[in-house]
Amino acid sequence: MAELQKLKASVYRATEPSGSDGEGDPTAMVEINIILQEHPNLMVEAVKAIKVRCKDKNESVQVIALDLLDQCMQSNGIQLQMHVMKKVLPRVLKFANPSKRECGRLCEQKSAALIKSWATLYGG
């Protein structure tokens, strides 16, 4: 239970814009990967927590959450990738659709780039 709380706190810190660069906390991003490697059973919870941050009203948070999602997919293997494809990909597709206006222009561009990248890396 303590690891779940630590994971959620790390996701929040990793996706909270801070400093002049507006990026999330890179240390928290590393913590998330360490937690997931030590506790692979928390992958579903990690995907849920990141998805919540993707739904945030702040476009900066959305973009950072998408970056975090991409990093987690690259670092944590097929099991996490499958959870993302089932649970978060529909949201990313909505973001990339300019007619839906689910997010701002920057988030829309980031989503479109991720879809292309994921199709190349993971098939589709």
Side-chain angles (χ1 to χ4, degrees):
M1 191 60 135
E3 290 302 317
L4 177 59
Q5 292 301 84
K6 185 176 175 184
L7 175 68
K8 288 181 179 181
S10 295
V11 168
Y12 182 83
R13 282 194 346 267
T15 56
E16 191 61 23
S18 60
S20 60
D21 61 358
E23 293 293 317
D25 181 358
T27 306
M29 291 180 184
V30 172
E31 285 175 15
I32 293 165
N33 285 326
I34 291 169
I35 292 169
L36 292 178
Q37 288 169 3
E38 291 175 358
H39 303 280
N41 58 314
L42 292 177
M43 285 187 188
V44 173
E45 295 300 324
V47 171
K48 284 181 189 177
I50 296 170
K51 183 179 178 182
V52 167
R53 297 302 283 170
C54 286
K55 293 179 180 180
D56 196 277
K57 300 258 187 246
N58 183 338
E59 185 180 23
S60 296
V61 172
Q62 292 174 332
V63 171
I64 296 168
L66 290 170
D67 276 334
L68 175 61
L69 193 62
D70 187 41
Q71 288 177 12
C72 286
M73 286 179 65
Q74 292 175 22
S75 301
N76 294 288
I78 189 81
Q79 187 179 6
L80 187 119
Q81 293 164 12
M82 294 306 292
H83 290 303
V84 170
M85 295 305 160
K86 289 178 190 173
K87 301 294 182 182
V88 187
L89 185 59
R91 170 72 49 183
V92 177
L93 290 170
K94 278 184 184 178
F95 284 166
N97 186 348
S99 66
K100 295 284 185 190
R101 278 295 143 215
E102 291 277 329
C103 62
R105 191 84 171 131
L106 188 59
C107 184
E108 181 183 309
Q109 292 170 345
K110 179 67 177 179
S111 298
L114 282 177
I115 291 168
K116 289 176 188 173
S117 170
W118 291 347
T120 302
L121 291 171
Y122 310 117

